[in-house]
Structures are given as structure tokens and as C-alpha cells.
Amino acid sequence: MQRNKVILPPQTIGIIGGGQLGRMMAIAAREMGYQIAVLDPTPNCPTAQIADHHIQAAYDDMDAIQQLTELSDVVTYEFENVDLKAAKYIEAQGKLPQGALALEITQNREKEKQLMKQSGLSVPNFAIVHNANECQETMNELSYPAVIKTCRGGYDGKGQLKIRTQKDLPDAMRFADQHQHCIIEEWIPFDKEISVVFTRTAAGNITIFPIGENDHKDHILYQTTVPAQISDTVREKAIKSATTLAHHMNIVGTFAIEMFVKNEDIYINEMAPRPHNSGHYTIEACNISQFKQHILSICDLPLVDIELLQPAVMINILGEDINRLLNIMPKMKHGFVHLYGKKEAKEKRKMGHVTFIAEDLEKLNEQIDQFKEAITYD
């Protein structure tokens, strides 16, 4: 991919997708003096509230894609399920420095896992199945428990089914028949999950944010703690794996990789070719956020060397939590509240997050305990 041209304020950055990640990209860009155009079908979506221009259309509407491309000096995206035809069109116009390859790979779990294997990285044992018979044959070879996932789509636990024992096999076979293109992975009884969030320029310069340790509830990220409590060996393996993938895929922009840690080994789980929920802590806890670093990269400006200013914990606020958060905000002495401007609070929908920082882990844990007690019992 040729080196992208330098984009300077007040030129326009186009964003495909108007959710919270696009919103936080837009806030970072506007602080730097850029104008923002967003393509999203939803009226008054979170990013549109920050943008100068909102093209309200479907993501695969090529007239709208052309309009966004003409309006923008550079284009980025906030989610990986961007229409590939659209991405390749924008790339051909020289305005998509991230390129279409990262999208093509991360949209498809089969391609994702194959690339990881080709890069020499550790991944759980897996097999691709297209129907119930192939599912049954695969589970005769793989160990229980396992998980079956759709190869395309699916997030926050959607599009997947855990196969705990042979009793769950009929459900898995029905799942395979229903979705046709699936991946079955052996379940790794991991000690913890970590996220490596990094930013890379078109010239190959890379900066890596402090590694976060993730906790989930109902398959949705609940909390990220930084720094992760991992050994130097695990940290070095995680950074080496992330760097290998970054250069192998010629990544531009901010990118995230989720990994499982088992003893001193790591296993790559999933990748996201854009800023990530587990990197939100960087807004307050680092000298530069994942979003501002992303803007620097896609605009071909020098990246900032990253420093962790204080330990941090980021907690997601879902639809069922939002009213309790609002009730306790007048009494909150700690925590930085970010709400995403979503009109409707639905259960399990990410409505915002709160980040806590402190000079040491003991004080940080005190803040977290107070917050969790208040939001639970308000």
C-alpha cells in the first residue's frame, strides 16, 4: 500500500459508522481542528451529534459511499462489517489508508484464524464446518468443551454457542445447519483475557498501549483493568504476537487483539481493525488516547510515545445500568463518565462507560468498590 498523504486541519475526516467509537474518534479529531463527515442510517446517531455532515444512508449504498468519499479528505471506519465493495472503492480513490485487507480478514473468522496460523501464532484448535454432519465429525476429533461460532457477523456473545458436553451436540448441529459457514474452536480454560491495543502508521511505526485485563458478564465486556496482572514473559509474548500481526497485515490506525492467557502461554482469540472497547481507559489514563493516536495515524502524522499516567479501571454502562448511574452521579467524587448519546436504553446495549484512575491499585480498588456498591444498591 502506498504511503497515504498528510491530512491537516481543517480538512475533513469521513467515518463509516455512527456509534460510540465513531463518536469518540470524532471528538478526538475535532479537538485537533478537523471537520467530520459520517455515514450512518440512524437519525441523530452518536457520531452525527459531533459531526459537521451526516449522510443518512445504508452502509452499502454506493451513491452515499461516493458522496462520503468526495466530501472527505480521508476515510476511516468504526466497525469491521463495512461493505467490502465500498471499502475497495474508497481505497481505490486513495482515501482509505487502513485498506480493505484488514476488513476482509476480520470479517471472516476462518480467514482470521488461518492468517494467525500462517503467522506462526498460537490459536485454539479449530475446524470449519458447513452442516450438521461436519459438525458431528469434527466433535468426534475435538475435545469438549468447545464453542461453535458463525464465521461472519456476531459480537458480544451473539452468533455463537458453547458445546459443554456431548449433550449439547444436537444443538450445535442445528446451529451448523442454520448458519452453514461456522468455526468450531476448542474451549481454552484460560486464567484471564487480555487486550493489546496498538497503533501503526503506513510507514510501519508502531506504538502499543499498556495491556488491559478484561472481565466479561454475559459475553459482554464489563471491566478492563490496567495494567494487567501478567508476568513479563506473557507481556513479551503478547506484544510480539501483536507486532507480528500488525506488520503481516500492514495495519494502519488503531487495532486491537484479544488474547487468552493460560499459565505462561497466550492464545489469540479475536481481532478488531479499529479502536476497541477495552482501550477506552486511554482517554484519561494515558498521555494520548487510542482515538487521537488513530487520527494521527490515518492522517499520516507522527505518533506520540505512550505513557500510562495512572492505573485505571474502565466499566461499561449498559442499558439496564443507565438510570442507576444518573441517580448516583450527583454523589460521585471519583470516575469520569462518558455517555454515548444513544436515544434508547436497551438491555445489554452499551450506553456509556466510566473510567477510574488513581495513583496506586489500592486507592483504585477503593473507588471501584464504592462505585459498584452505590450503583448496585441505589
Side-chain angles (χ1 to χ4, degrees):
M1 185 187 300
Q2 69 179 45
R3 186 177 174 86
N4 50 307
K5 60 183 179 181
V6 174
I7 307 298
L8 295 173
Q11 289 180 279
T12 299
I13 297 173
I15 303 175
I16 301 175
Q20 64 264 23
L21 295 176
R23 178 187 181 92
M24 287 182 272
M25 283 183 200
I27 290 171
R30 282 179 85 60
E31 285 178 348
M32 297 167 68
Y34 290 99
Q35 295 190 64
I36 301 296
V38 60
L39 170 63
D40 191 284
T42 306
N44 197 38
C45 61
T47 309
Q49 297 165 17
I50 309 297
D52 300 277
H53 311 279
H54 179 196
I55 301 170
Q56 192 177 329
Y59 299 127
D60 60 353
D61 183 329
M62 288 306 297
D63 289 338
I65 289 291
Q66 184 175 354
Q67 184 183 349
L68 179 72
T69 307
E70 291 173 354
L71 193 60
S72 306
D73 297 285
V74 66
V75 177
T76 185
Y77 43 79
E78 66 136 21
F79 62 100
E80 49 268 43
N81 290 315
V82 175
D83 182 75
L84 274 182
K85 179 182 176 184
K88 289 175 180 178
Y89 169 81
I90 303 169
E91 184 177 21
Q93 309 310 305
K95 293 187 177 182
L96 190 71
Q98 292 161 274
L101 177 63
L103 287 171
E104 186 173 350
I105 291 170
T106 55
Q107 283 179 7
N108 187 307
R109 288 189 171 102
E110 179 179 4
K111 292 183 178 180
E112 200 173 59
K113 285 293 190 292
Q114 295 291 2
L115 177 85
M116 293 173 190
K117 283 188 67 176
Q118 291 165 10
S119 302
L121 303 179
S122 297
V123 296
N125 290 327
F126 70 92
I128 305 301
V129 301
H130 302 88
N131 54 52
N133 288 338
E134 291 181 6
C135 176
Q136 186 174 32
E137 290 171 4
T138 294
M139 287 314 301
N140 288 336
E141 303 294 330
L142 288 182
S143 301
Y144 289 92
V147 61
I148 184 170
K149 304 175 183 178
T150 56
C151 278
R152 293 183 62 87
Y155 64 96
D156 289 344
K158 299 177 177 67
Q160 62 179 267
L161 178 70
K162 188 172 181 181
I163 315 170
R164 294 174 176 82
T165 67
Q166 198 164 6
K167 291 181 180 179
D168 297 317
L169 185 54
D171 289 336
M173 292 168 66
R174 281 190 289 271
F175 186 97
D177 267 342
Q178 179 185 353
H179 296 286
Q180 297 184 342
H181 187 198
C182 300
I183 184 169
I184 299 179
E185 302 172 19
E186 283 189 344
W187 187 269
I188 299 294
F190 55 91
D191 301 324
K192 59 185 65 181
E193 183 192 277
I194 59 174
S195 285
V196 181
V197 180
F198 63 85
T199 310
R200 184 180 182 274
T201 67
N205 299 321
I206 187 168
T207 59
I208 299 178
F209 288 96
I211 295 175
E213 184 174 329
N214 299 328
D215 292 308
H216 291 77
K217 286 185 178 179
D218 300 323
H219 303 287
I220 300 172
L221 181 65
Y222 170 65
Q223 176 175 308
T224 297
T225 303
V226 180
Q229 299 301 297
I230 53 177
S231 68
D232 290 342
T233 299
V234 168
R235 183 174 287 102
E236 288 168 9
K237 286 182 177 180
I239 290 173
K240 183 179 179 181
S241 296
T243 304
T244 297
L245 280 171
H247 295 314
H248 194 89
M249 296 174 65
N250 201 25
I251 296 302
V252 174
T254 294
F255 194 97
I257 307 175
E258 295 172 323
M259 306 179 184
F260 297 138
V261 178
K262 178 65 176 174
N263 298 322
E264 294 292 278
D265 294 322
I266 62 165
Y267 299 87
I268 311 293
N269 181 28
E270 292 183 338
M271 306 187 293
R274 35 79 179 168
H276 193 260
N277 193 172
S278 62
H280 292 349
Y281 76 89
T282 60
I283 298 172
E284 281 85 24
C286 294
N287 60 322
I288 188 166
S289 75
Q290 63 168 341
F291 300 102
K292 190 162 286 187
Q293 200 82 313
H294 180 72
I295 298 301
L296 292 175
S297 174
I298 64 168
C299 292
D300 205 26
L301 296 171
L303 300 180
V304 173
D305 292 336
I306 295 167
E307 297 176 31
L308 180 66
L309 304 177
Q310 288 190 314
V313 170
M314 185 282 305
I315 296 177
N316 273 329
I317 302 299
L318 304 182
E320 59 267 36
D321 306 321
I322 187 67
N323 287 333
R324 289 197 294 271
L325 174 68
L326 295 174
N327 287 339
I328 68 172
M329 275 183 67
K331 298 173 281 187
M332 285 177 60
K333 295 182 180 180
H334 305 288
F336 297 85
V337 176
H338 297 255
L339 297 181
Y340 302 149
K342 295 181 180 179
K343 184 177 180 181
E344 188 177 358
K346 298 178 182 178
E347 188 174 353
K348 305 304 178 191
R349 188 185 198 193
K350 293 171 185 171
M351 301 298 294
H353 71 269
V354 184
T355 300
F356 298 86
I357 59 173
E359 51 195 62
D360 57 53
L361 288 174
E362 184 178 352
K363 291 182 179 177
L364 185 59
N365 287 330
E366 288 177 7
Q367 293 182 20
I368 299 302
D369 290 343
Q370 291 171 8
F371 172 75
K372 288 181 179 178
E373 183 177 359
I375 200 168
T376 300
Y377 295 108
D378 178 74

